[in-house]
Amino acid sequence: MWQLIISGSLFENVFVSLKRSAAGFALALLVAIPLGLVIGWFKKFERFIDPLLQIFRQTSALALFPVFILVFGIGETSKIAIIFWGVQWPILISTIEGVKNVDPILIKSARSMGASQFTIFRKVILPSAFPSIITGIRLSATSAILVLIAAEMMGASSGLGYLLYDTQVKYQIPKMYAAIITMSLIGIIVNYTIVAFENRVTKWK
């Protein structure tokens, strides 16, 4: 690991992987959270779209990787797309469940005090669903790195997945373990960063 650090190879590959993961993860947040809020709030829409969601959710991201390469090419877009597909589902499902499991008494109380639908959504639904959304984000954050590593092992010339595959093929076992340990450390850091954010934002719990 020290040899990889002083050569700059480790940081270079980590930066490339984190950039790809962040792009796919951010895209998943922008799509999955609003969509989950809408699906959870409108029950008729949920009944209509749920079968389609379940079909898509059961389709492995890695199984679709050749399709993404066919559509987007071998470059960065296909890797970001596969991360987006793989990580959006825990966020989406957790958001839907968070909205559906809001205490009905809170909603009835807000309505009895004359709150509008928008006010109920903003003041009751969102805060109540937030812990569940954060749980989905935690699951997805670590999945983003794992999905990317697998994608980089199949089609990349840089990144931690490429470093892992390259050292394995060249039988550079110490460097291979260094890459594995680095992945684990990144996962731990990301997880506890989100936990710290959750504890700070949801002190009211």
Side-chain angles (χ1 to χ4, degrees):
M1 182 176 283
W2 178 246
Q3 288 176 354
L4 289 172
I5 290 172
I6 60 177
S7 68
S9 175
L10 186 64
F11 292 120
E12 180 183 341
N13 286 294
V14 166
F15 176 75
V16 170
S17 290
L18 289 179
K19 185 174 68 172
R20 290 167 178 160
S21 295
F25 186 64
L27 186 61
L29 290 176
L30 290 174
V31 173
I33 292 178
L35 183 60
L37 292 171
V38 171
I39 294 173
W41 183 245
F42 297 102
K43 290 182 172 59
K44 289 183 179 179
F45 183 51
E46 184 199 4
R47 285 196 293 270
F48 171 76
I49 203 171
D50 186 65
L52 191 62
L53 290 180
Q54 296 305 323
I55 292 172
F56 286 156
R57 189 167 72 93
Q58 302 303 328
T59 306
S60 168
L62 296 179
L64 288 174
F65 191 52
V67 178
F68 282 105
I69 291 177
L70 186 66
V71 174
F72 298 112
I74 197 71
E76 297 297 299
T77 305
S78 61
K79 295 173 184 61
I80 293 172
I82 200 71
I83 295 166
F84 163 74
W85 182 270
V87 306
Q88 68 171 322
W89 303 113
I91 302 173
L92 180 62
I93 300 303
S94 296
T95 303
I96 294 171
E97 292 304 313
V99 173
K100 288 171 62 178
N101 291 328
V102 174
D103 190 346
I105 295 176
L106 295 177
I107 299 174
K108 290 177 182 177
S109 299
R111 282 176 179 158
S112 69
M113 291 185 282
S116 65
Q117 286 289 91
F118 178 74
T119 301
I120 292 172
F121 191 79
R122 186 168 61 90
K123 295 282 189 177
V124 178
I125 302 299
L126 278 178
S128 298
F130 190 76
S132 181
I133 295 172
I134 287 290
T135 300
I137 291 174
R138 282 180 63 189
L139 293 171
S140 294
T142 49
S143 296
I145 298 171
L146 297 176
V147 171
L148 175 65
I149 296 303
E152 287 177 339
M153 291 178 72
M154 289 189 283
S157 58
S158 61
L160 279 173
Y162 166 77
L163 178 63
L164 178 63
Y165 178 75
D166 187 56
T167 52
Q168 174 200 346
V169 171
K170 294 177 180 177
Y171 211 69
Q172 298 172 339
I173 303 304
K175 289 184 179 180
M176 183 188 75
Y177 280 116
I180 294 171
I181 292 170
T182 302
M183 295 171 199
S184 300
L185 291 174
I186 291 172
I188 291 171
I189 292 169
V190 169
N191 178 69
Y192 283 109
T193 300
I194 296 174
V195 170
F197 172 75
E198 179 186 11
N199 293 336
R200 185 177 181 85
V201 174
T202 59
K203 287 181 179 179
W204 52 268
K205 280 204 299 180

Short mmCIF file of all heavy atoms in Angstrom, two decimals, residues 66-109:
data_model
loop_
_atom_site.label_atom_id
_atom_site.label_comp_id
_atom_site.label_asym_id
_atom_site.label_seq_id
_atom_site.Cartn_x
_atom_site.Cartn_y
_atom_site.Cartn_z
N PRO A 66 -23.52 -5.11 -20.00
CA PRO A 66 -23.30 -5.18 -21.46
C PRO A 66 -24.30 -4.32 -22.24
O PRO A 66 -23.95 -3.76 -23.28
CB PRO A 66 -23.48 -6.67 -21.78
CG PRO A 66 -23.22 -7.38 -20.50
CD PRO A 66 -23.73 -6.46 -19.42
N VAL A 67 -25.52 -4.22 -21.74
CA VAL A 67 -26.53 -3.39 -22.39
C VAL A 67 -26.14 -1.92 -22.32
O VAL A 67 -26.24 -1.17 -23.30
CB VAL A 67 -27.93 -3.61 -21.76
CG1 VAL A 67 -28.96 -2.70 -22.43
CG2 VAL A 67 -28.34 -5.06 -21.86
N PHE A 68 -25.68 -1.49 -21.13
CA PHE A 68 -25.27 -0.10 -20.95
C PHE A 68 -24.06 0.22 -21.84
O PHE A 68 -23.96 1.33 -22.38
CB PHE A 68 -24.93 0.17 -19.49
CG PHE A 68 -26.14 0.36 -18.62
CD1 PHE A 68 -26.54 -0.65 -17.75
CD2 PHE A 68 -26.89 1.52 -18.68
CE1 PHE A 68 -27.66 -0.48 -16.95
CE2 PHE A 68 -28.02 1.69 -17.89
CZ PHE A 68 -28.41 0.69 -17.02
N ILE A 69 -23.15 -0.73 -21.98
CA ILE A 69 -22.00 -0.52 -22.86
C ILE A 69 -22.46 -0.40 -24.32
O ILE A 69 -21.98 0.44 -25.07
CB ILE A 69 -20.98 -1.67 -22.72
CG1 ILE A 69 -20.31 -1.63 -21.34
CG2 ILE A 69 -19.92 -1.60 -23.82
CD1 ILE A 69 -19.34 -2.76 -21.08
N LEU A 70 -23.43 -1.25 -24.69
CA LEU A 70 -23.97 -1.20 -26.05
C LEU A 70 -24.63 0.14 -26.35
O LEU A 70 -24.49 0.69 -27.45
CB LEU A 70 -24.99 -2.35 -26.23
CG LEU A 70 -25.56 -2.55 -27.63
CD1 LEU A 70 -24.48 -2.99 -28.60
CD2 LEU A 70 -26.69 -3.57 -27.59
N VAL A 71 -25.35 0.67 -25.36
CA VAL A 71 -26.09 1.92 -25.55
C VAL A 71 -25.19 3.15 -25.40
O VAL A 71 -25.22 4.08 -26.23
CB VAL A 71 -27.27 2.01 -24.56
CG1 VAL A 71 -27.96 3.37 -24.66
CG2 VAL A 71 -28.27 0.89 -24.81
N PHE A 72 -24.36 3.16 -24.33
CA PHE A 72 -23.58 4.36 -24.00
C PHE A 72 -22.11 4.27 -24.37
O PHE A 72 -21.38 5.26 -24.24
CB PHE A 72 -23.68 4.64 -22.49
CG PHE A 72 -25.07 4.91 -22.01
CD1 PHE A 72 -25.72 4.01 -21.18
CD2 PHE A 72 -25.74 6.07 -22.39
CE1 PHE A 72 -27.02 4.26 -20.73
CE2 PHE A 72 -27.03 6.33 -21.95
CZ PHE A 72 -27.67 5.42 -21.12
N GLY A 73 -21.65 3.11 -24.80
CA GLY A 73 -20.25 2.95 -25.13
C GLY A 73 -19.43 2.53 -23.92
O GLY A 73 -19.95 2.35 -22.81
N ILE A 74 -18.12 2.41 -24.10
CA ILE A 74 -17.23 1.88 -23.06
C ILE A 74 -16.73 2.98 -22.12
O ILE A 74 -16.04 2.70 -21.13
CB ILE A 74 -16.03 1.16 -23.72
CG1 ILE A 74 -15.32 0.24 -22.72
CG2 ILE A 74 -15.06 2.18 -24.32
CD1 ILE A 74 -16.10 -0.98 -22.35
N GLY A 75 -17.09 4.24 -22.39
CA GLY A 75 -16.57 5.37 -21.62
C GLY A 75 -17.22 5.56 -20.26
O GLY A 75 -17.83 4.65 -19.69
N GLU A 76 -17.13 6.81 -19.77
CA GLU A 76 -17.60 7.13 -18.43
C GLU A 76 -19.11 7.02 -18.29
O GLU A 76 -19.62 6.65 -17.23
CB GLU A 76 -17.16 8.56 -18.06
CG GLU A 76 -15.66 8.76 -18.00
CD GLU A 76 -15.04 7.89 -16.90
OE1 GLU A 76 -15.39 8.05 -15.74
OE2 GLU A 76 -14.21 7.03 -17.25
N THR A 77 -19.85 7.35 -19.34
CA THR A 77 -21.31 7.38 -19.26
C THR A 77 -21.89 6.03 -18.87
O THR A 77 -22.81 5.95 -18.04
CB THR A 77 -21.91 7.83 -20.61
OG1 THR A 77 -21.34 9.08 -20.99
CG2 THR A 77 -23.42 8.00 -20.49
N SER A 78 -21.37 4.96 -19.44
CA SER A 78 -21.89 3.62 -19.13
C SER A 78 -21.63 3.25 -17.67
O SER A 78 -22.48 2.62 -17.03
CB SER A 78 -21.27 2.58 -20.06
OG SER A 78 -19.87 2.53 -19.91
N LYS A 79 -20.50 3.67 -17.12
CA LYS A 79 -20.19 3.36 -15.71
C LYS A 79 -21.09 4.16 -14.77
O LYS A 79 -21.58 3.63 -13.77
CB LYS A 79 -18.71 3.64 -15.44
CG LYS A 79 -17.78 2.72 -16.23
CD LYS A 79 -16.34 3.12 -16.06
CE LYS A 79 -15.43 2.25 -16.94
NZ LYS A 79 -15.73 2.38 -18.38
N ILE A 80 -21.29 5.43 -15.08
CA ILE A 80 -22.19 6.25 -14.26
C ILE A 80 -23.61 5.71 -14.34
O ILE A 80 -24.33 5.67 -13.34
CB ILE A 80 -22.12 7.72 -14.73
CG1 ILE A 80 -20.74 8.31 -14.43
CG2 ILE A 80 -23.21 8.56 -14.05
CD1 ILE A 80 -20.50 9.67 -15.02
N ALA A 81 -24.03 5.28 -15.53
CA ALA A 81 -25.38 4.75 -15.71
C ALA A 81 -25.58 3.47 -14.91
O ALA A 81 -26.65 3.26 -14.30
CB ALA A 81 -25.64 4.49 -17.20
N ILE A 82 -24.58 2.59 -14.88
CA ILE A 82 -24.72 1.33 -14.14
C ILE A 82 -24.76 1.58 -12.64
O ILE A 82 -25.48 0.90 -11.90
CB ILE A 82 -23.59 0.34 -14.52
CG1 ILE A 82 -23.99 -1.10 -14.16
CG2 ILE A 82 -22.28 0.67 -13.84
CD1 ILE A 82 -25.05 -1.69 -15.01
N ILE A 83 -24.01 2.59 -12.17
CA ILE A 83 -24.08 2.96 -10.75
C ILE A 83 -25.46 3.50 -10.42
O ILE A 83 -26.07 3.12 -9.42
CB ILE A 83 -23.00 4.01 -10.42
CG1 ILE A 83 -21.61 3.41 -10.60
CG2 ILE A 83 -23.15 4.51 -8.98
CD1 ILE A 83 -20.51 4.44 -10.62
N PHE A 84 -25.95 4.39 -11.28
CA PHE A 84 -27.29 4.95 -11.08
C PHE A 84 -28.34 3.85 -10.97
O PHE A 84 -29.18 3.84 -10.07
CB PHE A 84 -27.63 5.90 -12.23
CG PHE A 84 -29.09 6.21 -12.36
CD1 PHE A 84 -29.70 7.06 -11.46
CD2 PHE A 84 -29.85 5.65 -13.38
CE1 PHE A 84 -31.06 7.35 -11.57
CE2 PHE A 84 -31.19 5.92 -13.50
CZ PHE A 84 -31.81 6.78 -12.59
N TRP A 85 -28.27 2.89 -11.90
CA TRP A 85 -29.27 1.80 -11.89
C TRP A 85 -29.14 0.96 -10.63
O TRP A 85 -30.14 0.57 -10.04
CB TRP A 85 -29.08 0.93 -13.13
CG TRP A 85 -30.10 -0.17 -13.22
CD1 TRP A 85 -30.01 -1.43 -12.70
CD2 TRP A 85 -31.37 -0.08 -13.85
NE1 TRP A 85 -31.15 -2.15 -12.97
CE2 TRP A 85 -32.01 -1.33 -13.68
CE3 TRP A 85 -32.03 0.92 -14.55
CZ2 TRP A 85 -33.28 -1.59 -14.18
CZ3 TRP A 85 -33.30 0.66 -15.06
CH2 TRP A 85 -33.90 -0.58 -14.87
N GLY A 86 -27.93 0.68 -10.22
CA GLY A 86 -27.73 -0.21 -9.08
C GLY A 86 -28.08 0.40 -7.74
O GLY A 86 -28.52 -0.31 -6.83
N VAL A 87 -27.91 1.72 -7.60
CA VAL A 87 -28.06 2.33 -6.27
C VAL A 87 -29.41 3.03 -6.06
O VAL A 87 -29.76 3.36 -4.93
CB VAL A 87 -26.93 3.34 -5.97
CG1 VAL A 87 -25.57 2.71 -6.16
CG2 VAL A 87 -27.05 4.59 -6.83
N GLN A 88 -30.17 3.24 -7.13
CA GLN A 88 -31.40 4.00 -6.96
C GLN A 88 -32.49 3.22 -6.21
O GLN A 88 -33.33 3.82 -5.53
CB GLN A 88 -31.94 4.43 -8.32
CG GLN A 88 -32.43 3.27 -9.19
CD GLN A 88 -33.15 3.74 -10.43
OE1 GLN A 88 -33.88 4.73 -10.40
NE2 GLN A 88 -32.94 3.04 -11.54
N TRP A 89 -32.45 1.88 -6.30
CA TRP A 89 -33.57 1.10 -5.77
C TRP A 89 -33.68 1.15 -4.25
O TRP A 89 -34.79 1.33 -3.73
CB TRP A 89 -33.49 -0.34 -6.29
CG TRP A 89 -33.48 -0.40 -7.77
CD1 TRP A 89 -32.46 -0.80 -8.59
CD2 TRP A 89 -34.54 0.01 -8.65
NE1 TRP A 89 -32.80 -0.66 -9.90
CE2 TRP A 89 -34.08 -0.18 -9.98
CE3 TRP A 89 -35.82 0.51 -8.44
CZ2 TRP A 89 -34.85 0.12 -11.09
CZ3 TRP A 89 -36.60 0.81 -9.55
CH2 TRP A 89 -36.13 0.61 -10.85
N PRO A 90 -32.59 0.99 -3.48
CA PRO A 90 -32.75 1.13 -2.02
C PRO A 90 -33.26 2.50 -1.61
O PRO A 90 -34.09 2.61 -0.69
CB PRO A 90 -31.32 0.89 -1.49
CG PRO A 90 -30.65 0.09 -2.55
CD PRO A 90 -31.22 0.57 -3.84
N ILE A 91 -32.81 3.55 -2.29
CA ILE A 91 -33.29 4.90 -1.98
C ILE A 91 -34.77 5.03 -2.31
O ILE A 91 -35.56 5.55 -1.50
CB ILE A 91 -32.48 5.96 -2.77
CG1 ILE A 91 -31.00 5.85 -2.46
CG2 ILE A 91 -32.98 7.37 -2.45
CD1 ILE A 91 -30.12 6.74 -3.31
N LEU A 92 -35.15 4.55 -3.47
CA LEU A 92 -36.55 4.65 -3.91
C LEU A 92 -37.48 3.88 -2.98
O LEU A 92 -38.49 4.42 -2.52
CB LEU A 92 -36.66 4.12 -5.35
CG LEU A 92 -38.06 4.14 -5.97
CD1 LEU A 92 -38.59 5.56 -6.07
CD2 LEU A 92 -38.05 3.47 -7.34
N ILE A 93 -37.15 2.62 -2.69
CA ILE A 93 -38.01 1.80 -1.85
C ILE A 93 -38.10 2.36 -0.43
O ILE A 93 -39.18 2.41 0.18
CB ILE A 93 -37.51 0.33 -1.83
CG1 ILE A 93 -37.49 -0.27 -3.24
CG2 ILE A 93 -38.37 -0.50 -0.89
CD1 ILE A 93 -38.82 -0.25 -3.94
N SER A 94 -36.97 2.80 0.12
CA SER A 94 -36.97 3.37 1.47
C SER A 94 -37.79 4.65 1.53
O SER A 94 -38.48 4.90 2.52
CB SER A 94 -35.53 3.64 1.92
OG SER A 94 -34.80 2.45 2.03
N THR A 95 -37.72 5.45 0.49
CA THR A 95 -38.50 6.69 0.45
C THR A 95 -39.99 6.39 0.39
O THR A 95 -40.79 7.00 1.12
CB THR A 95 -38.09 7.54 -0.77
OG1 THR A 95 -36.69 7.82 -0.71
CG2 THR A 95 -38.85 8.86 -0.78
N ILE A 96 -40.37 5.44 -0.45
CA ILE A 96 -41.78 5.06 -0.55
C ILE A 96 -42.30 4.55 0.79
O ILE A 96 -43.37 4.96 1.27
CB ILE A 96 -41.97 3.98 -1.64
CG1 ILE A 96 -41.67 4.55 -3.02
CG2 ILE A 96 -43.40 3.41 -1.60
CD1 ILE A 96 -41.62 3.50 -4.13
N GLU A 97 -41.54 3.65 1.42
CA GLU A 97 -41.97 3.09 2.70
C GLU A 97 -42.00 4.17 3.79
O GLU A 97 -42.88 4.15 4.66
CB GLU A 97 -41.02 1.96 3.11
CG GLU A 97 -41.13 0.72 2.23
CD GLU A 97 -42.54 0.17 2.17
OE1 GLU A 97 -43.17 0.02 3.25
OE2 GLU A 97 -43.02 -0.12 1.06
N GLY A 98 -41.04 5.09 3.74
CA GLY A 98 -41.03 6.17 4.72
C GLY A 98 -42.27 7.03 4.64
O GLY A 98 -42.85 7.39 5.67
N VAL A 99 -42.71 7.34 3.43
CA VAL A 99 -43.93 8.14 3.24
C VAL A 99 -45.17 7.35 3.67
O VAL A 99 -46.07 7.88 4.33
CB VAL A 99 -44.05 8.58 1.76
CG1 VAL A 99 -45.39 9.27 1.52
CG2 VAL A 99 -42.90 9.52 1.40
N LYS A 100 -45.23 6.09 3.29
CA LYS A 100 -46.41 5.27 3.61
C LYS A 100 -46.56 5.01 5.09
O LYS A 100 -47.67 4.80 5.58
CB LYS A 100 -46.31 3.93 2.86
CG LYS A 100 -46.53 4.06 1.35
CD LYS A 100 -46.21 2.76 0.63
CE LYS A 100 -47.11 1.64 1.07
NZ LYS A 100 -46.82 0.39 0.32
N ASN A 101 -45.44 5.00 5.83
CA ASN A 101 -45.48 4.65 7.25
C ASN A 101 -45.56 5.86 8.18
O ASN A 101 -45.36 5.74 9.38
CB ASN A 101 -44.24 3.82 7.62
CG ASN A 101 -44.27 2.44 6.98
OD1 ASN A 101 -45.34 1.87 6.78
ND2 ASN A 101 -43.12 1.91 6.64
N VAL A 102 -45.84 7.04 7.62
CA VAL A 102 -46.04 8.22 8.46
C VAL A 102 -47.27 8.00 9.34
O VAL A 102 -48.30 7.50 8.87
CB VAL A 102 -46.22 9.48 7.60
CG1 VAL A 102 -46.56 10.69 8.47
CG2 VAL A 102 -44.95 9.76 6.81
N ASP A 103 -47.18 8.37 10.60
CA ASP A 103 -48.28 8.19 11.55
C ASP A 103 -49.52 8.93 11.05
O ASP A 103 -49.49 10.16 10.90
CB ASP A 103 -47.85 8.74 12.91
CG ASP A 103 -48.85 8.38 14.01
OD1 ASP A 103 -49.97 7.95 13.69
OD2 ASP A 103 -48.50 8.54 15.20
N PRO A 104 -50.63 8.22 10.78
CA PRO A 104 -51.85 8.88 10.28
C PRO A 104 -52.39 9.94 11.24
O PRO A 104 -53.03 10.91 10.80
CB PRO A 104 -52.85 7.72 10.15
CG PRO A 104 -52.01 6.49 10.08
CD PRO A 104 -50.79 6.76 10.89
N ILE A 105 -52.13 9.78 12.53
CA ILE A 105 -52.62 10.76 13.51
C ILE A 105 -51.98 12.13 13.26
O ILE A 105 -52.63 13.17 13.42
CB ILE A 105 -52.33 10.27 14.95
CG1 ILE A 105 -53.14 9.01 15.23
CG2 ILE A 105 -52.66 11.36 15.97
CD1 ILE A 105 -52.86 8.39 16.57
N LEU A 106 -50.70 12.13 12.87
CA LEU A 106 -50.02 13.39 12.58
C LEU A 106 -50.68 14.08 11.39
O LEU A 106 -50.88 15.31 11.41
CB LEU A 106 -48.54 13.13 12.27
CG LEU A 106 -47.67 12.59 13.40
CD1 LEU A 106 -46.26 12.31 12.90
CD2 LEU A 106 -47.62 13.58 14.56
N ILE A 107 -51.03 13.31 10.36
CA ILE A 107 -51.67 13.90 9.18
C ILE A 107 -53.06 14.42 9.53
O ILE A 107 -53.43 15.54 9.14
CB ILE A 107 -51.75 12.85 8.06
CG1 ILE A 107 -50.33 12.39 7.65
CG2 ILE A 107 -52.48 13.41 6.84
CD1 ILE A 107 -50.31 11.26 6.64
N LYS A 108 -53.83 13.64 10.29
CA LYS A 108 -55.18 14.07 10.68
C LYS A 108 -55.12 15.32 11.56
O LYS A 108 -55.96 16.22 11.44
CB LYS A 108 -55.89 12.93 11.41
CG LYS A 108 -56.26 11.76 10.51
CD LYS A 108 -56.91 10.63 11.30
CE LYS A 108 -57.23 9.44 10.40
NZ LYS A 108 -57.80 8.31 11.18
N SER A 109 -54.14 15.37 12.44
CA SER A 109 -54.00 16.54 13.31
C SER A 109 -53.70 17.79 12.50
O SER A 109 -54.25 18.86 12.75
CB SER A 109 -52.88 16.30 14.33
OG SER A 109 -53.17 15.19 15.15
#
